[in-house]
Amino acid sequence: MSKVQVIHTAEALHQFRQKLNENSQSLGFVPTMGALHNGHISLIKKSAEENDYTLISIFVNPKQFNNSEDLKQYPRTLEADLMLLEGLQHCVVFAPTEAELYPKNDGFVPMELGSIGRVLEGAFRPGHFEGVVHVVHNLFRLVDANQAYFGQKDFQQLAIIRLLTRYYGFKTRIIACPTIREASGLAMSSRNMRLNEKELQDALIIIETLRYVEAAKNQRSIEETIMAARTLFSTSDLALEYLAIVDPETLCELSEWQEKQICCIAAHCGSVRLIDNLLF
Ligand code: AMP
């Protein structure tokens, strides 16, 4: 059994938060769906450096899954997660039930996401970001953190979280953290647990293609680059969902290179859906 403090209820979280307030101690917040890996740990360590306490939420949010099989297959490894957090000072876990996080009449009023919510993940996972907004709204209200840490691996999610923070008037500062990769280049993800040896190799086409696009910047047109990148990707066993070069602010597709752009990829590797991006 792990010795990490785990809070399960909104009431206990409220008490924990109040105690910090009484002692003028700051709180950093790292929301996760568990199956923790070094990507999550990098967020937790950054929060631990910058705050007196860090709260890590572990909750597989059913509202953000548009595919029931994906929800069923999502890894749930709470005991192993707690073991991984063992030894981290001033870290507390919040692992609520669905009923705790979504009480009846939770006062949530959906926001209009606009075009940023309709492209990329929004186009391929209808309802996904609406579910993300709902859970982050309820978590932010309960946790009342000084700062919250999110990975750039989920770049569009980060943009939407900045949007919702402004929209609902949360005081929490949003901190973006870089994508942590395996030595192979594969972006760390809880979903990687479901890849077999061959699929782990096959999945490297994602970072290979992203790096190819980066190297083509200003050498070829965006249109040519996308065509060549798709051809490269099609040599793999992965099924491409989208490959897009977009503006990092608006997430609108670009027809000309800019100083900064982000290339985003989503693809299926066997039964596992993977996303990654490169900002350059
Ligand atoms: P998840 O548990 O997948 O919902 O992710 C929880 C948080 O960890 C999100 O802010 C993700 O963007 C972040 N995250 C996931 N994978 C990585 C990674 N490889 N590097 C950095 N952050 C990550």
Side-chain angles (χ1 to χ4, degrees):
M1 280 291 280
S2 150
K3 292 187 283 296
V4 178
Q5 183 189 346
V6 186
I7 294 173
H8 291 286
T9 66
E11 177 52 33
L13 180 62
H14 183 66
Q15 283 169 16
F16 165 76
R17 190 67 190 95
Q18 257 188 341
K19 230 184 205 147
L20 294 189
N21 276 345
E22 283 160 17
N23 296 321
S24 304
Q25 286 174 309
S26 63
L27 181 63
F29 179 39
V30 182
T32 82
M33 296 205 297
L36 299 181
H37 50 69
N38 280 335
H40 298 118
I41 299 295
S42 72
L43 272 55
I44 294 165
K45 288 201 165 145
K46 187 159 171 60
S47 170
E49 275 165 28
E50 297 180 350
N51 301 279
D52 294 314
Y53 273 82
T54 292
L55 185 84
I56 302 131
S57 66
I58 297 182
F59 178 70
V60 180
N61 175 31
K63 289 192 194 291
Q64 72 186 66
F65 284 80
N66 56 313
N67 177 328
S68 57
E69 188 55 28
D70 192 22
L71 173 62
K72 206 168 103 195
Q73 295 290 337
Y74 201 87
R76 291 159 174 86
T77 59
L78 185 60
E79 262 315 305
D81 291 348
L82 297 179
M83 295 309 284
L84 202 62
L85 298 175
E86 194 88 354
L88 292 179
Q89 298 298 308
H90 295 177
C91 285
V92 174
V93 167
F94 179 47
T97 60
E98 204 176 333
E100 277 299 322
L101 200 51
Y102 294 115
K104 281 206 180 78
N105 309 320
D106 64 1
F108 172 72
V109 180
M111 66 181 281
E112 174 55 49
L113 288 172
S115 59
I116 216 165
R118 285 194 289 272
V119 296
L120 306 173
E121 292 297 282
F124 284 89
R125 300 185 71 190
H128 168 65
F129 285 126
E130 286 75 6
V132 169
V133 170
H134 196 164
V135 78
V136 173
H137 168 277
N138 286 17
L139 283 167
F140 270 23
R141 211 173 42 180
L142 283 177
V143 175
D144 189 24
N146 300 86
Q147 323 206 70
Y149 296 78
F150 291 90
Q152 280 174 328
K153 169 163 183 291
D154 299 284
F155 194 85
Q156 190 175 10
Q157 170 174 280
L158 182 59
I160 284 170
I161 281 159
R162 289 192 195 286
L163 211 64
L164 81 86
T165 304
R166 272 199 303 275
Y167 181 84
Y168 294 109
F170 291 117
K171 303 276 188 297
T172 306
R173 245 182 87 209
I174 306 303
I175 313 285
C177 303
T179 301
I180 304 299
R181 299 180 179 281
E182 303 287 355
S184 65
L186 180 66
M188 291 191 183
S189 164
S190 305
R191 294 170 193 270
N192 294 354
M193 273 183 197
R194 295 180 44 218
L195 300 175
N196 63 31
E197 285 292 316
K198 177 181 180 297
E199 289 167 337
L200 282 168
Q201 277 302 312
D202 291 346
L204 298 182
I205 190 67
I206 297 176
I207 186 63
E208 196 186 321
T209 305
L210 290 171
R211 287 177 178 153
Y212 171 84
V213 171
E214 181 184 22
K217 178 186 172 184
N218 295 332
Q219 305 293 318
R220 307 170 103 181
S221 71
I222 285 206
E223 199 184 337
E224 279 175 340
T225 303
I226 288 183
M227 269 177 19
R230 289 209 171 111
T231 304
L232 170 65
F233 202 94
S234 69
T235 61
S236 76
D237 281 342
L238 273 69
L240 186 64
E241 212 167 57
Y242 62 76
L243 183 162
I245 302 172
V246 301
D247 179 276
E249 294 285 320
T250 63
L251 302 188
C252 285
E253 292 203 31
L254 297 175
S255 52
E256 304 277 342
W257 295 109
Q258 308 186 144
E259 200 177 318
K260 283 276 169 208
Q261 44 268 302
I262 182 162
C263 181
C264 302
I265 288 182
H268 291 269
C269 183
S271 63
V272 182
R273 186 176 184 277
L274 299 173
I275 60 169
D276 198 356
N277 64 69
L278 213 54
L279 179 69
F280 54 88

